Amino acid sequence: MVLDTPVGAGSGMIGGVTATVDARPVGRRAGVALAVGAGLAMAASLPPMGFWPLAVVGVALLDRAVADAPPWARFRRGTLAGIALLAPTTWWIQALSVPGYLLASPILAALLGTALAACPPGRGRWLALPGLWVVFEAVRGRWPFGGVPLSVLAQGQVAGPLAGLARVGGSLLLGGATVALGVALAAAAARRPRPVVAALSGVAALAALAGVAPSGRPTGDVLAVAVVQGGGPQGTLADETDPRDVFERHVAATALIDGPVDLIVWPENVVNVDGPVLEQREGRELAALAEAQGAVLVAGVFEAFPDENRNAVLAFDGTGEGGEGLAVARFEKIRRVPFGEFVPLRSALEPIAEALPGAGLPAIDAVVGEPPATLDTPAGTLGVVISWEVFFADRAADAIGNGGEVLLNPTNGSSYTGTQVQSQQVASSRLRAIETGRWVVQAAPTGFSAIVTPGGDVVERTGVSEQRVLQGTVARRDGLTWAVRFGPWPAVGGAAVLVAAGWLIAVRTRNRGAGAHAAESDRPVDTAVGA
């Protein structure tokens, strides 16, 4: 019996039938090594290392790791890649909560594994991978614990040439385009020119669209802004610090302001009091300080009550337009830090925290604020994202969609050693600036404080622990970008189309292989019988 069935590097078995693939599946050890290498390369692309081109290399390695592997192997390797990406880049969480860090990293990594398990085999994966990555980042922006959008690819790519894509489809689109470039690299390595051309053409089309997309417009009014950083030691916890010392450092730094300004921005919760701040000594001092400066003073306030905590920003009017020194506006934080400002799964985690030295959990949860995230002041309508909220595009969109003309990010990273979280927050402020088309002012007690243009460029940034005031002029702006107007839905919808198209290619390839196999089975068998 003669069966003409050529077998080579370009063929393989998918679902029991012959199908054309681009490379043989790698072995178990090689797959693990590729997955870990992929995650580490992507981790190195993020702040504070910030070698952004390595994200493309990491995606290409990940593609090779999962190419035509069975679903369970793709899940394992995707999860390993996720751990290699997230474990080092979210290390700062352990300073906040060891149980939270031990719980969050594996869960988030498993989400990546699940996305890759859903990846079609063969060349269809090259269409589906960018879409699945967008879905992965979209899901973890909402779940678990209300969303943990840390270490997203866009945080590194905001320093690269495609950053402008954020004003079209936010960080999700920027991350998806980065994965598309990784797909192009993987296809080039496999000597498949058509996917390379398709991926590069798609990214180029998006870049051209970003060039003509609306980016907000100046109203004609400008603000002289002073960003106050009180300084002090880095890596100190709240219960190790006298709140009054922190407050007085910022009062002293405010005295360094050179000349009249319209707006003074203090960091998050550098005013830490028991009960309503307006009934405390610090509230009166803030009002007097605003009056002395003749400016609007925005300060982060933490109010402790017996059964709840409140994390808010208050605007004090020292211009005389709304009443000398009076608090004219207030916004309370909506997106709380899991394990820091509220504890999910508290009953399950408290025994673990008690067993680990220094792993205590906050005893009282912070209340959830209410939108809109704006402060109406004589300096204009100020949009606000408080610290953790800067990682969430929807919080900035709420602020700007409700009239915010400038975006403020009062934050506090003084509890963390190193500069990992501070660098990621600056990168996120840059993303939010591009997405919203607004100037962003970030204020931190020990760094980094920064002023960011609507194009995502950092005009000036402080160092860690120094006492310093950043002064500059920012333009009040209006108008909505597409990222604010339409939110994540165009990126998510496009991702769904890519995943569906990838599976369609995979199914057609399988059906063609099944047809060829059936044709071979139906061919007459040439049986020669001799003497």
Side-chain angles (χ1 to χ4, degrees), residues 306-333:
D307 56 350
E308 65 182 22
N309 295 321
R310 293 183 176 272
N311 188 342
V313 293
L314 274 72
F316 293 83
D317 176 25
T319 68
E321 295 184 25
E324 294 289 350
L326 293 178
V328 293
R330 176 186 178 105
F331 167 71
E332 294 189 2
K333 192 173 188 178

Side-chain angles (χ1 to χ4, degrees), residues 106-185:
I107 291 177
L108 297 175
L111 288 178
L112 178 58
T114 302
L116 292 178
C119 188
R123 280 171 284 177
R125 75 182 187 276
W126 285 333
L127 266 179
L129 268 177
L132 286 167
W133 191 276
V134 168
V135 172
F136 158 62
E137 290 197 339
V139 170
R140 71 186 180 106
R142 295 286 180 178
W143 185 90
F145 318 131
V148 190
L150 301 176
S151 304
V152 298
L153 289 186
Q155 286 180 345
Q157 300 309 304
V158 74
L162 297 179
L165 295 185
R167 75 172 55 92
V168 177
S171 61
L172 291 180
L173 182 64
L174 181 53
T178 304
V179 175
L181 292 180
V183 162
L185 180 60

Side-chain angles (χ1 to χ4, degrees), residues 2-59:
V2 181
L3 297 177
D4 183 17
T5 309
V7 177
S11 67
M13 297 299 292
I14 301 174
V17 297
T18 304
T20 300
V21 297
D22 295 287
R24 294 183 184 276
V26 298
R28 178 179 299 178
R29 291 183 179 179
V32 168
L34 284 167
V36 172
L40 292 176
M42 287 186 276
S45 77
L46 300 174
M49 288 177 282
F51 303 125
W52 59 264
L54 285 180
V56 177
V57 176
V59 171

